[in-house]
Amino acid sequence: MKNITAFVFVFGILSCNQQKIDTKAEGEKLMQMSKEWSQVASTGDAEKTLIYWAEDAILMPSGQPQLKGKKEIKQMVEESFKIPGFKISWQPKSVQVSESGDMAYLLEDSQVSFMDSTGKIITQNNKGVTIWRKQSDGSWKNVVDISTPDNSQKK
């Protein structure tokens, strides 16, 4: 009985000492990070754009094969930035951070523009979900990036 009482006491103390995560502050940090990432991506700088993805990230672009890992994502980003008239931007709409503070997701709206064969600029509006994982150094990295056309904006 003493062992059980001691266990409950120690467990209770350890539970009270766990740091409470400020999920609102972490969410605000991620919203700002997404906005900064969009600004970086709009410059066409592939190296700086890639910094936000984790090494094991998965990218699921609409209508295209899934990309696994930063190497595959890098190739796609570099090729995209070479497309005439290519532009990408997004706006985070909402964020949800786990109670443990180590995972989060953002809902985002995005726009991708490029020139068609006649030189006309085509813009596609998308909805997306990005999933983020907190790294051991306290930084956040994108681990899953999913995009789908936003057909609600078609007339």
Side-chain angles (χ1 to χ4, degrees):
M1 186 68 166
K2 283 184 179 180
N3 289 340
I4 292 174
T5 304
F7 173 76
V8 170
F9 179 73
V10 170
F11 181 76
I13 289 174
L14 291 175
S15 295
C16 291
N17 288 336
Q18 289 180 351
Q19 186 178 1
K20 177 80 171 138
I21 303 299
D22 186 345
T23 56
K24 183 177 179 183
E26 290 297 318
E28 289 169 0
K29 188 185 303 182
L30 280 164
M31 292 285 280
Q32 183 59 37
M33 184 176 254
S34 178
K35 291 173 188 175
E36 289 170 6
W37 190 12
S38 177
Q39 289 174 341
V40 167
S42 73
T43 68
D45 186 327
E47 290 303 317
K48 287 183 181 177
T49 300
L50 288 162
I51 290 170
Y52 294 85
W53 275 292
E55 289 298 323
D56 61 344
I58 296 171
L59 179 62
M60 299 170 71
S62 179
Q64 297 178 26
Q66 175 177 297
L67 303 173
K68 291 183 181 180
K70 216 169 188 178
K71 184 177 178 181
E72 288 183 12
I73 294 171
K74 179 180 181 178
Q75 183 178 358
M76 183 275 307
V77 168
E78 290 174 343
E79 288 174 11
S80 295
F81 286 157
K82 291 176 185 175
I83 297 170
F86 179 84
K87 296 281 183 202
I88 185 167
S89 64
W90 59 90
Q91 306 77 39
K93 297 299 179 183
S94 66
V95 63
Q96 184 67 46
V97 178
S98 67
E99 286 187 32
S100 61
D102 61 343
M103 296 291 290
Y105 68 86
L106 289 161
L107 301 179
E108 299 165 323
D109 290 337
S110 66
Q111 302 75 40
V112 178
S113 300
F114 54 91
M115 260 187 242
D116 70 8
S117 60
T118 67
K120 179 183 174 192
I121 297 290
I122 304 294
T123 299
Q124 181 177 3
N125 294 302
N126 298 303
K127 292 181 180 182
V129 176
T130 54
I131 302 174
W132 297 75
R133 180 177 59 219
K134 189 171 257 191
Q135 306 300 293
S136 59
D137 66 0
S139 67
W140 287 95
K141 294 285 184 177
N142 178 271
V143 292
V144 179
D145 193 333
I146 303 168
S147 179
T148 186
D150 182 358
N151 295 323
S152 68
Q153 295 192 21
K154 288 185 178 180
K155 296 185 181 190

